[in-house]
Amino acid sequence: MVNLLIAASTASVAILASRAADWQPVSLVLVLGAFNLASELMDFRITRGELQPWSVTSNAPLALCIVLLGPGPSLAVGALGLAASAVKCRPRFSDVVANYASYGIFLTSGSLFCRWIIDSWGLSPSDSGIALLVVAAYAWVFTASFLINGIYNRVGYGESVRSQWQNEGPRLVAESPTLLLAAGTAYAYENLGVKALGLLVVVQLMYQHFTRNLLLSQERAFVLQQRNDELAALHSTLSKQAVRLSELSESRGRLVGQVLQAEEKERRRLAEALHDEALQEMLSARHGLDADNGGNDRSRESIARAIDQLRGTIFDLHPAVLEHAGLSAALHEVADRQQERTGFRPRIEVAPEACGPHDALLFVLGREQLTNAVKHSRATEIGLVIDRIDHKVVMEVHDNGLGMDPERRRTAVERGHIGLASSAERVEALGGRFEVDSRPGHGTRVRTTLPVRGA
């Protein structure tokens, strides 16, 4: 409501203060009106970072109206430009009224002040003072517009004066060449007439066009740089996360290795306890029975079977041959035991360069897979091959048995058969891969791949 009253009041003042001579020559009014209309239609907005958008237009036609015409024509030319801008940008009605009020204040006051100066000093368009007056009018348009809009934005939107100056400062810099050109045009108007204004219009609009393209290019470069900075920051964050994940993976691998070592140590302790205590007691008992001619033959057979079972358990817990003779010898001993039980011997091939820190795990997995092939697949041919490929150790166990249904393999855990799932988890915890290829009637192939760290 206040803005509407201000707009109506300034319009009334401009109309009452207008004189018929203010509208002469009509060609000047038309040229300046067309100039301001074209300038407003070519207006564009630039956004820099977190600043509010600022428009790039020209105050030259308004400054010339203030000096060369009166308050009525000045306000009419300004209103024509605002109408074109409203049609183009479709602002809120309250903003349109606020703009009309702002234009009414500085155009009417500026025109009345310049008229007083010209009348008091007797200036004519041929005087150099007219050029200085155009510069002053230009500065007044910019300053008054900034102050009025600053107060309005401060009260209505809480925007600080500093942020508004950051928005408007670049606009003043962009318009500075036009200010000097407008002053020179006003001085040349007495001799060249409307032609001088026509030249100004052409030069101004060309300048505004090139300025628009230049600033838009800078804006695109600014936005692109922002995006590059954001991508660089994102890349840095992802790199840090990747390093962190790598550290966590290595830490997990070390922890799993320590768990396996602790497990192997405990198995060794149990094996030694069984060998040094229970097995020795059984051997001593059998020796006593052998020494006793009246001993019970059935007791001796039971003790002999118990001794064999204890030896098998000790071997399963921790084969001494693995520690003393290595992985190849330990797996060959497994093959010997399988031959005793089933009548055929699995084929074992272990490359010397494949032996190393994973021997204990490979032995456990290989023994389990050989046992599964004999017990469940009814295979007549079983092979186990361990080799070194680049920085990886690969163990492959294959047989010509019955094979497994993939669906049945997926539901094995639910039925309590966790052998393959447990093996896969232990291998993957060390950063390896555990792959099972099996189909009914086509045998089974289990491939274990383990990384060799530091190789």
Side-chain angles (χ1 to χ4, degrees), residues 160-167:
S160 67
V161 176
R162 180 180 179 182
S163 66
Q164 293 178 65
W165 174 251
Q166 288 177 315
N167 290 331

Side-chain angles (χ1 to χ4, degrees), residues 348-365:
I348 307 294
E349 296 180 13
V350 180
E353 62 271 16
C355 300
H358 297 308
D359 286 358
L361 178 59
L362 290 173
F363 171 77
V364 172
L365 297 178

Side-chain angles (χ1 to χ4, degrees), residues 252-332:
R252 182 190 182 196
R254 287 194 298 269
L255 289 174
V256 171
Q258 292 172 0
V259 170
L260 293 177
Q261 291 177 1
E263 180 184 345
E264 182 62 21
K265 182 178 180 180
E266 183 63 17
R267 293 165 70 93
R268 181 185 304 176
R269 187 190 67 78
L270 290 174
E272 291 175 352
L274 288 173
H275 180 273
D276 296 341
E277 298 175 9
L279 182 59
Q280 296 304 317
E281 290 293 338
M282 295 297 292
L283 289 173
S284 176
R286 190 182 67 177
H287 179 71
L289 288 173
D290 288 340
D292 184 6
N293 293 330
N296 192 316
D297 292 337
R298 185 176 300 174
S299 297
R300 281 196 295 271
E301 292 175 1
S302 298
I303 290 175
R305 286 195 297 271
I307 290 173
D308 290 339
Q309 292 172 357
L310 279 173
R311 282 174 172 164
T313 301
I314 293 170
F315 180 81
D316 289 340
L317 283 172
H318 179 73
V321 66
L322 175 63
E323 183 175 352
H324 298 293
L327 178 62
S328 179
L331 289 173
H332 277 89

Side-chain angles (χ1 to χ4, degrees), residues 188-249:
Y189 174 68
E190 178 70 17
N191 296 320
L192 298 178
V194 178
K195 293 180 181 179
L197 291 177
L199 179 62
L200 171 64
V201 171
V202 173
V203 174
Q204 164 64 36
L205 295 180
M206 289 180 61
Y207 172 77
Q208 192 168 341
H209 172 73
F210 290 126
T211 302
R212 175 181 183 275
N213 291 337
L214 175 62
L215 292 178
L216 287 178
S217 298
Q218 292 177 347
E219 176 69 9
R220 285 192 288 267
F222 179 79
V223 172
L224 182 61
Q225 182 62 42
Q226 277 190 323
R227 292 179 179 175
N228 288 338
D229 293 342
E230 291 173 358
L231 289 175
L234 179 61
H235 181 268
S236 175
T237 301
L238 292 176
S239 298
K240 292 179 181 178
Q241 293 295 333
V243 171
R244 179 58 179 163
L245 288 174
S246 177
E247 292 175 350
L248 290 174
S249 177

Side-chain angles (χ1 to χ4, degrees), residues 77-108:
V77 170
L80 179 64
L82 285 177
S85 177
V87 172
K88 176 184 175 183
C89 301
R90 300 181 182 278
R92 295 178 300 180
F93 177 75
S94 59
D95 292 336
V96 173
V97 174
N99 286 335
Y100 272 100
S102 174
Y103 270 51
I105 291 174
F106 65 74
L107 287 176
T108 302

Side-chain angles (χ1 to χ4, degrees), residues 146-181:
F146 174 75
L147 291 175
I148 294 171
N149 290 331
I151 295 172
Y152 178 77
N153 291 332
R154 178 66 177 176
V155 174
Y157 302 102
E159 186 178 359
S160 67
V161 176
R162 180 180 179 182
S163 66
Q164 293 178 65
W165 174 251
Q166 288 177 315
N167 290 331
E168 294 294 334
R171 176 179 175 178
L172 179 61
V173 174
E175 287 193 52
S176 57
T178 306
L179 185 153
L180 299 177
L181 185 60

